[in-house]
Amino acid sequence: MPKYPTEPLKCWKKAKELREKYYRDYASASEKGGLRWTGGAWSFDAIPAGLGDDVYPITGEPYSASIAFNKPFSMRCLEETEARGWARDLCSYMRNYWGSMYLSEFNLGGKYPKPDFAFQDHICCSHGKWYQVVAEYEDIPYFCIDISVGPYNELDEDRLMFVVNQMHESIDWMEKITGRRYDDEKLIEAVRNDCRSTSTWADICVLNKNIPAPLDEKTMYSLYVFGTLSKHSKEVADFYEELRDEVKDRVERGIAAVGNERCRLMSDTQPPWGFLKVFRYLEEFGALSVGSLYTFGLIGMWEDKPDGSWGPRTTPMELGVPMGTRDQALRVLADWSLSRPEWQHFYDADLKSKMMLRIVKEWKLDGVMLHMNRGCEGLSCGIAENRLAIAEADVPVMTFEGNMGDEREFDLAKTRDRIDAFMETMELERVEE
Amino acid sequence: MTQEYWRWKEYNWHDEKIDPRAGKSISAGCDVGSVSSQAAIMVDGQLYAYSNMRTGSDSPNSAMDAMNWALEDTVLKIEDLHYVVGTGYGRVNVPFAHRAITEIACHARGANFMYGSSVRTILDMGGQDCKAIRCDDRGKVTNFLMNDKCAAGTGRGMEVFADLLQISIEDVGEMSFQVDKEPEPVSSTCVVFAKSEAAGLLRSGWPKNLVLAAYCSAMSHRVFTLLERLGVEKEFAITGGIAKNVGVVHRLEDELGMKSLKSDYDTQIAGALGAALFAKALYEKQQAGK
Amino acid sequence: MFSKFKQWYENRHDYAREWKERTGGKVMGCFCSYAPEEILVAAGWLPSRILGSHEPQDVSEKHIFGMFCPFCRDVLAQGLKGRYNYLDGILMTQACLHLRQSYMSWKMHVPVPFQHYIYMPQKVQTRHAVPYHRSELVKFTKALEEFSGIRVSDDDLDRGMTVVNENRGLMRQVYEYRKEPEAKLTGQEAMWMTVSSMWVDKEEHSSELKRVLEQLPDRAPGRDTGARLMLIGSENDDMPFIELVEKVGATVVVDDHCTGTRYFWNLCEHQDDRITAIAERYIRRPACPVKDWEERTRFGHILELARDFQADGAIIIQQKFCDPHECDMPPLRKFLDEHDIPNLMLEFDATTPLGQFRIRVEAFLEMIGQEDLF
């Protein structure tokens, strides 16, 4: 008998619809005279929002993850990219994306919808280069904002302004290439939504401190994704508030994600998308991943709370920060975004180790499983040091090698063996059904 | 002694109809590869004799053995050769060679001779490496790509497999077609991984020919990706030992959507033949310069 | 003629220790060729680029995941093995993720009195890059002043600029002799020179360059130049490889890599605001691919070098797993093809598989030359 009651999420259907609408909107934007742009999941998507309500992005990472689920198509994409001379060890998201572009096939059917422009930000070395290649191939204009100005705890006016100045520059550029007049009101609204979405997502993650956890990480993957698709949109911000209420309700009623929860873990970096069954496998031992710095902090915005815990960052709206002008809105957006937890380890692995250990403590975890992800140089940056720091803190830690978007670099059987061994060291046996 | 399934037959040949003593140029090439060595002797640009054998423990002796065996039963001695070019992995260690030229250049030149001047793309599947070569109508290399990091797509990889499945290497190709339906290729082309994957398939009850089909298919796909990176232009030809393995060749042709040229010459001597042709050109230049 | 450079190249640690003893100065270990050497020289520090030793090693495996480049792991290994235990400081000028990890781990596991990370712009193509980089360099200068208890004046900075510029200019003069039909020096000699300049006191290095420049015009190379090659790639000071290339009928006459021209090619132009001048020099220098977007500016520079030095072909020396360079690779090769520069791409690990490279290099040379075979 499971220890805890479980039930499916009510807003599951809505999530599915929202996701489908996102890709449909993008694909059909041109028919209605709208604009399509492409860029990264971390792009300042609030900025193009000032061009009008008919401007739709497609963000590369989640799109490529969706390709990775479709193994035969993914394989064709990867091989097409390789046939054009690109190295096989490059970012696997990038290679899937390029492959889809080269083949001119859209993962959701039909031809790959050509974007009108590319708008990216740059913190990982592959970021700026990814859309350089896209812009050259598609022959579209491209702008990329450099955000690699150091960790948030060292942020000062010069560093902030380097980002803000480029944001201003990007708006001038957008007006020029689209011929549209930029609407600051729409920007301000989008920045508010961005702050609301990303803070609310952190709020949802906090609820997972509860035992039993109301969500498991596999489910969270399908939900955090909206923050990577369109964090600036009202739909996403509203959806996250609705989701938060539902998860809160689950906590109050003691609903668990996994009925047999008895071992709480976290992972790290993107999972091997084609093999999420690894997470189901954990459940056979009554183990679950309740999240990771990745699911919490890729999109979620965090801060230290007065009681010393880690919680959602207080929004500029709550603080009454003025946001009436373009410049004020951009400053808010830059400062807000630069505090993103997953942007800190690019300069110092230690900052990430500290956040990870904090999650271990506050989310009451029993162990950590690190995905040594050959597909992502950005999120794997410093991961070996993270492992050492976690082990040094006497937290059980296992690693498994793989690749988020290239199934040729993931070995399911071997990973299962590793999990078995890890469970053994934690003295967990399979749960009798 | 247990049977060595990987072992292929060594042989030599010469053309009784040619009188080498009447020739103006007697040129030779000696291709010392990591797995096999060949020698080819030409008289006025016509193939007169050749040999193909397993490479021994050191290059100079292997070169000597191959050349001596090619000369065996002929009227020639090694001193009669006007000009010799060494090629292959051991090219700089051919004691009787006048010059060393890479097997990449020699295979292109050899293929041009064997298949005619329309050859533009050559795949050389050797013992421990695999080369994709583009050339012009003289057989001069214009571009090439090489995989020598792993045994995937190489003769050695196929030998390992033949041994594992206990099937004579010469039968591998035909047997791989004795299946009702083409299986999914083994997912790994790395020989070590593929071997353990194949062992797993056998344990789970797959018949040998199905496992072979899955491996041949993986291997042809692997070399296909190499060719694709280089770009394939017609006409296309395959040299080296694996050209004799229909299991790989047919699958590769299917994937390329292109037939490979056929030749009456032995595909394994392409390198030695190219070397002998270069030797002829160099000898003639030398004579003219005198 | 180049033996002094070779000696410096081979005995980098002895040199630094001896320099410290002789001058009482401090040594800064620099992780990237973007380090603002003018400021270091102005402050009386010796800039010393940290490079790997090209030996197999297993000490950095647990600190840097194996998907990152062999170079960054080799660099860290030098620190972990204590070979740089004389350093007074380490300096990261924002580079690729690979090299940053060497810095991060070094900082954590190899005690050094002073550490600084300059958050240099990755986007050097925006007009905001120079003022922003200036602000980073000001912070760095202040940190250096505080640590060493000195003040770096405009005069000091002028001296720093002059000393570093002189060294750059002299190396460019030496490069001129590589343009001659019979190159006066080999690629290996040039590499001893450029790489040693990354850790030898600039003034000392410059006086050796002056000595060499006096003798170079009369030098008989004593060897066939053969095919004239350009080397293109990431960090590379792989001496056995250059030696191999130059033994099989070719001479390396020019390069685009960060232990070569990218490091020293352009000068620092004087401006009233010295730090702006220095910032500008590094923002405008021939770009590392990690900073070469949205436009590709590298390729034009490569073509110019190839033409000026009459390169017959190029060998692209690609550091394994180096993402930024890999992101330039197919477009670069296409560009070279379009400009009739035959090119060969080789993937480099910390150690060089000479046999595997030799056949490729020889076949490449046969491809671009050796018409006598037909």
Side-chain angles (χ1 to χ4, degrees):
Chain A
M1 267 294 282
K3 269 168 36 186
Y4 308 109
T6 58
E7 62 179 47
L9 274 176
K10 292 193 192 74
C11 49
W12 204 246
K13 190 165 159 268
K14 190 157 186 189
K16 204 167 161 247
E17 283 167 9
L18 203 57
R19 198 172 159 278
E20 277 164 9
K21 182 174 177 298
Y22 170 84
Y23 284 110
R24 211 173 41 241
D25 281 348
Y26 174 80
S28 63
S30 295
E31 296 158 23
K32 301 166 200 153
L35 290 173
R36 290 196 286 234
W37 65 273
T38 183
W42 278 334
S43 290
F44 294 108
D45 52 343
I47 296 179
L51 291 171
D53 295 329
D54 56 349
V55 179
Y56 299 98
I58 186 166
T59 49
E61 294 90 339
Y63 175 63
S64 301
S66 78
I67 294 176
F69 278 106
N70 181 351
K71 286 182 193 155
F73 182 52
S74 175
M75 198 43 62
R76 285 203 294 124
C77 288
L78 296 171
E79 289 191 345
E80 180 64 27
T81 300
E82 282 154 27
R84 288 168 187 259
W86 301 100
R88 207 173 134 161
D89 53 278
L90 283 170
C91 167
S92 58
Y93 279 162
M94 189 163 82
R95 288 183 289 125
N96 274 310
Y97 182 105
W98 288 349
S100 166
M101 171 181 83
Y102 290 137
L103 292 168
S104 191
E105 285 179 47
F106 199 42
N107 191 29
L108 290 93
K111 276 175 71 118
Y112 182 80
K114 180 180 165 165
D116 297 299
F117 63 88
F119 180 58
Q120 166 72 318
D121 64 355
H122 183 96
I123 190 166
C124 168
C125 298
S126 299
H127 281 158
K129 304 300 266 187
W130 179 335
Y131 295 92
Q132 179 176 53
V133 171
V134 172
E136 283 168 348
Y137 184 77
E138 300 275 26
D139 194 20
I140 53 171
Y142 171 38
F143 196 97
C144 182
I145 295 179
D146 181 9
I147 54 167
S148 32
V149 294
Y152 192 62
N153 63 6
E154 293 180 41
L155 187 66
D156 62 19
E157 185 67 12
D158 298 321
R159 291 170 181 158
L160 181 75
M161 283 314 291
F162 180 53
V163 177
V164 174
N165 283 332
Q166 292 177 78
M167 288 173 158
H168 278 290
E169 202 182 349
S170 77
I171 293 176
D172 297 341
W173 170 83
M174 273 175 210
E175 285 193 312
K176 210 175 99 198
I177 57 147
T178 63
R180 289 193 180 194
R181 227 181 65 81
Y182 195 79
D183 185 341
D184 289 338
E185 287 307 316
K186 290 196 194 308
L187 165 74
I188 292 162
E189 184 54 30
V191 172
R192 288 164 174 275
N193 286 329
D194 183 322
C195 297
R196 193 156 62 95
S197 309
T198 53
S199 174
T200 308
W201 175 254
D203 215 355
I204 294 166
C205 297
V206 166
L207 293 167
N208 244 20
K209 290 182 181 177
N210 192 69
I211 297 177
L215 297 172
D216 68 319
E217 191 170 27
K218 187 171 175 292
T219 305
M220 293 172 95
Y221 289 140
S222 310
L223 300 169
Y224 93 104
V225 71
F226 295 105
T228 70
L229 297 176
S230 187
K231 55 193 174 297
H232 77 280
S233 70
K234 184 172 182 303
E235 286 107 314
V236 170
D238 289 348
F239 174 73
Y240 277 167
E241 286 177 358
E242 194 182 325
L243 176 65
R244 179 195 53 204
D245 294 342
E246 191 191 338
V247 178
K248 213 178 242 171
D249 176 60
R250 282 170 79 93
V251 170
E252 278 157 18
R253 293 191 293 121
I255 306 294
V258 173
N260 288 316
E261 173 181 323
R262 58 175 184 175
C263 171
R264 296 161 66 87
L265 304 171
M266 73 166 176
S267 70
D268 189 48
T269 84
Q270 306 89 331
W273 290 114
F275 301 91
L276 291 184
K277 55 184 151 194
V278 166
F279 289 88
R280 286 276 168 265
Y281 186 65
L282 290 175
E283 291 173 20
E284 294 181 19
F285 297 87
L288 86 161
S289 175
V290 303
S292 59
L293 187 70
Y294 170 70
T295 33
F296 293 178
L298 187 86
I299 284 304
M301 289 302 186
W302 299 77
E303 70 185 7
D304 291 322
K305 291 299 182 188
D307 65 357
S309 69
W310 214 34
R313 183 169 171 188
T314 311
T315 63
M317 294 81 83
E318 289 162 326
L319 292 170
V321 178
M323 237 196 286
T325 66
R326 180 189 295 185
D327 189 55
Q328 285 169 340
L330 294 179
R331 277 187 73 101
V332 164
L333 182 61
D335 180 274
W336 181 261
S337 308
L338 288 168
S339 73
R340 177 162 286 137
E342 279 280 39
W343 284 6
Q344 310 309 312
H345 70 277
F346 286 94
Y347 317 99
D348 194 346
D350 200 35
L351 292 169
K352 179 169 163 186
S353 299
K354 289 198 171 92
M355 287 186 280
M356 292 174 96
L357 288 170
R358 180 172 202 171
I359 295 174
V360 168
K361 190 164 156 257
E362 293 185 29
W363 273 255
K364 306 168 210 60
L365 304 185
D366 303 296
V368 180
M369 47 191 287
L370 302 174
H371 178 210
M372 308 291 278
N373 180 359
R374 287 188 171 267
C376 180
E377 60 159 338
L379 297 193
S380 293
C381 178
I383 195 166
E385 290 293 354
N386 300 140
R387 192 193 74 80
L388 289 177
I390 293 166
E392 194 143 306
D394 279 332
V395 177
V397 53
M398 70 162 270
T399 59
F400 64 103
E401 268 195 41
N403 190 311
M404 63 197 178
D406 187 339
E407 62 159 325
R408 293 168 299 185
E409 293 200 307
F410 183 75
D411 186 332
L412 185 61
K414 215 168 101 187
T415 307
R416 280 196 177 139
D417 288 348
R418 289 206 150 212
I419 292 175
D420 289 348
F422 188 52
M423 294 295 136
E424 233 166 71
T425 60
M426 295 202 293
E427 294 174 356
L428 282 177
E429 282 174 18
R430 278 196 168 72
V431 179
E432 299 290 329
E433 284 298 327
Chain B
M1 195 184 138
T2 53
Q3 196 182 339
E4 292 172 299
Y5 294 95
W6 54 266
R7 192 172 281 283
W8 38 269
K9 284 187 202 78
E10 299 175 307
Y11 49 82
N12 64 352
W13 171 93
H14 75 276
D15 189 342
E16 299 279 356
K17 295 192 289 289
I18 293 177
D19 174 15
R21 294 189 193 281
K24 281 202 278 295
S25 85
I26 305 173
S27 65
C30 189
D31 181 352
V32 184
S34 54
V35 171
S36 66
S37 298
Q38 297 83 24
I41 300 159
M42 297 187 105
V43 175
D44 291 339
Q46 267 201 306
L47 183 61
Y48 168 61
Y50 67 86
S51 68
N52 179 17
M53 57 200 301
R54 238 183 142 71
T55 298
S57 56
D58 73 291
S59 300
N61 279 322
S62 303
M64 198 57 91
D65 289 349
M67 191 53 82
N68 281 335
W69 208 30
L71 291 165
E72 200 177 68
D73 304 328
T74 73
V75 293
L76 294 177
K77 287 202 221 29
I78 206 153
E79 306 83 65
D80 299 325
L81 305 174
H82 293 138
Y83 204 106
V84 182
V85 165
T87 187
Y89 166 79
R91 65 191 171 282
V92 290
N93 292 314
V94 177
F96 45 86
H98 301 85
R99 183 155 161 183
I101 296 173
T102 67
E103 58 268 39
I104 294 174
C106 290
H107 271 272
R109 184 68 190 89
N112 175 276
F113 178 87
M114 290 161 59
Y115 298 99
S117 62
S118 61
V119 176
R120 287 293 169 280
T121 310
I122 300 142
L123 175 70
D124 168 34
M125 295 170 84
Q128 287 195 347
D129 60 29
C130 180
K131 306 175 192 88
I133 307 166
R134 294 273 295 266
C135 66
D136 65 14
D137 59 357
R138 298 172 301 166
K140 185 170 195 224
V141 176
T142 54
N143 204 354
F144 64 93
L145 270 180
M146 195 173 168
N147 166 33
D148 53 9
K149 287 199 184 126
C150 67
T154 68
R156 183 66 199 133
M158 197 47 96
E159 288 178 4
V160 168
F161 243 72
D163 227 28
L164 172 77
L165 298 174
Q166 305 190 338
I167 290 165
S168 161
I169 189 132
E170 280 140 0
D171 299 333
V172 161
E174 286 298 343
M175 272 195 73
S176 77
F177 286 114
Q178 292 163 16
V179 291
D180 298 333
K181 192 173 157 271
E182 189 76 0
E184 281 286 305
V186 290
S187 63
S188 182
T189 43
C190 167
V191 173
V192 181
F193 288 169
K195 203 177 153 187
S196 76
E197 194 176 340
L201 292 174
L202 287 175
R203 270 199 308 275
S204 67
W206 279 41
K208 281 181 187 180
N209 29 10
L210 205 59
V211 176
L212 268 184
Y215 183 66
C216 287
S217 166
M219 193 156 163
S220 71
H221 184 65
R222 174 72 187 228
V223 292
F224 167 75
T225 59
L226 184 76
L227 282 165
E228 216 186 8
R229 284 184 81 131
L230 185 73
V232 182
E233 191 189 335
K234 273 191 168 183
E235 299 289 337
F236 167 64
I238 308 175
T239 60
I242 302 205
K244 298 174 180 172
N245 183 325
V246 288
V248 176
V249 172
H250 287 181
R251 287 181 176 89
L252 178 62
E253 288 175 339
D254 284 351
E255 200 160 0
L256 282 172
M258 198 185 284
K259 286 275 172 209
S260 60
L261 293 174
K262 303 288 173 267
S263 167
D264 294 334
Y265 291 98
D266 183 337
T267 56
Q268 265 184 289
I269 63 160
L273 203 51
L277 287 159
F278 285 140
K280 175 175 179 282
L282 289 164
Y283 175 66
E284 284 165 2
K285 286 222 167 86
Q286 199 183 58
Q287 292 305 104
K290 272 185 186 164
Chain C
M1 189 180 288
F2 289 81
S3 57
K4 187 81 191 163
F5 299 114
K6 178 173 190 255
Q7 194 192 329
W8 280 330
Y9 174 83
E10 285 169 355
N11 303 292
R12 61 195 79 169
H13 303 301
D14 294 342
Y15 175 81
R17 286 196 188 90
E18 184 269 326
W19 181 90
K20 273 184 83 158
E21 204 164 299
R22 170 157 51 96
T23 65
K26 292 188 165 58
V27 184
M28 182 74 81
C30 303
F31 281 82
C32 175
S33 65
Y34 276 96
E37 296 188 321
E38 292 85 345
I39 297 176
L40 289 164
V41 173
W45 285 59
L46 177 69
S48 177
R49 172 100 194 253
I50 302 173
L51 295 182
S53 64
H54 297 283
E55 298 161 293
Q57 55 87 16
D58 56 5
V59 293
S60 57
E61 291 312 302
K62 64 175 186 175
H63 299 284
I64 302 179
F65 178 24
M67 71 177 282
F68 293 97
C69 80
F71 173 65
C72 77
R73 287 181 274 143
D74 196 3
V75 164
L76 176 62
Q78 306 309 306
L80 295 171
K81 287 180 172 175
R83 292 190 176 153
Y84 279 91
N85 58 7
Y86 50 84
L87 293 181
D88 300 285
I90 51 170
L91 176 64
M92 165 48 74
T93 316
Q94 187 143 272
C96 58
L97 297 178
H98 302 254
L99 207 43
R100 278 186 222 184
Q101 292 178 87
S102 319
Y103 172 79
M104 289 178 196
S105 293
W106 195 301
K107 203 173 76 165
M108 281 187 249
H109 306 289
V110 189
V112 188
F114 175 87
Q115 306 113 20
H116 193 90
Y117 189 138
I118 298 173
Y119 301 112
M120 183 184 180
Q122 295 290 62
K123 182 173 182 174
V124 292
Q125 295 178 17
T126 164
R127 61 191 160 87
H128 304 294
V130 172
Y132 169 62
H133 191 38
R134 178 191 180 277
S135 73
E136 283 297 306
L137 293 183
V138 167
K139 284 177 192 127
F140 168 60
T141 311
K142 280 196 185 127
L144 209 52
E145 286 175 334
E146 264 169 43
F147 177 80
S148 354
I150 51 153
R151 213 183 92 48
V152 178
S153 66
D154 273 0
D155 286 347
D156 293 330
L157 289 169
D158 284 342
R159 192 178 52 82
M161 289 192 261
T162 308
V163 167
V164 181
N165 272 345
E166 184 193 29
N167 192 248
R168 291 171 180 146
L170 291 167
M171 287 200 283
R172 280 190 70 158
Q173 282 181 45
V174 172
Y175 264 51
E176 285 298 306
Y177 290 97
R178 306 174 78 181
K179 287 182 181 168
E180 295 192 6
E182 288 301 318
K184 292 263 192 216
L185 60 152
T186 64
Q188 189 177 35
E189 288 168 331
M191 197 175 272
W192 283 325
M193 169 185 83
T194 56
V195 181
S196 65
S197 83
M198 303 181 105
W199 53 67
V200 167
D201 182 292
K202 304 282 176 199
E203 287 173 283
E204 208 175 327
H205 196 265
S206 291
S207 64
E208 179 63 14
L209 283 170
K210 285 177 201 156
R211 196 188 64 77
V212 164
L213 278 164
E214 270 172 32
Q215 298 176 4
L216 259 184
D218 303 321
R219 188 187 202 199
R223 61 189 287 282
D224 259 349
T225 299
R228 305 172 63 87
L229 297 180
M230 176 172 191
L231 284 189
I232 303 176
S234 33
E235 186 284 330
N236 192 281
D237 66 323
D238 200 306
M239 293 297 176
F241 175 70
I242 296 219
E243 210 176 310
L244 161 77
V245 169
E246 297 192 321
K247 254 188 210 155
V248 296
T251 301
V252 175
V253 293
V254 72
D255 64 83
D256 172 71
H257 53 73
C258 81
T259 35
T261 61
R262 280 211 296 279
Y263 164 63
F264 74 88
W265 206 242
N266 66 330
L267 300 182
C268 178
E269 314 269 350
H270 181 84
Q271 291 183 34
D272 285 344
D273 186 299
R274 272 62 166 188
I275 304 278
T276 298
I278 296 168
E280 186 139 8
R281 191 268 162 192
Y282 288 92
I283 295 292
R284 306 264 180 264
R285 64 158 249 201
C288 166
V290 85
K291 296 183 192 290
D292 203 31
W293 45 270
E294 298 105 338
E295 300 300 318
R296 293 189 194 273
T297 63
R298 256 186 92 206
F299 296 179
H301 174 72
I302 289 171
L303 183 62
E304 205 178 311
L305 289 178
R307 289 197 169 144
D308 282 357
F309 289 79
Q310 300 114 45
D312 300 317
I315 298 185
I316 304 173
I317 42 178
Q318 169 69 40
Q319 181 80 224
K320 196 173 166 183
F321 302 143
C322 170
D323 305 77
H325 276 274
E326 284 172 353
C327 283
D328 271 8
M329 195 55 55
L332 173 62
R333 300 196 70 181
K334 185 164 164 263
F335 176 86
L336 293 171
D337 288 344
E338 282 165 3
H339 290 89
D340 294 322
I341 301 171
N343 53 89
L344 171 72
M345 205 273 276
L346 296 176
E347 195 178 73
F348 274 67
D349 210 323
T351 54
T352 313
L354 287 176
Q356 290 179 349
F357 283 172
R358 181 170 178 156
I359 172 163
R360 288 168 169 83
V361 172
E362 286 188 351
F364 179 65
L365 295 174
E366 286 164 358
M367 186 181 106
I368 65 176
Q370 307 217 346
E371 277 295 323
D372 64 327
L373 295 177
F374 293 87

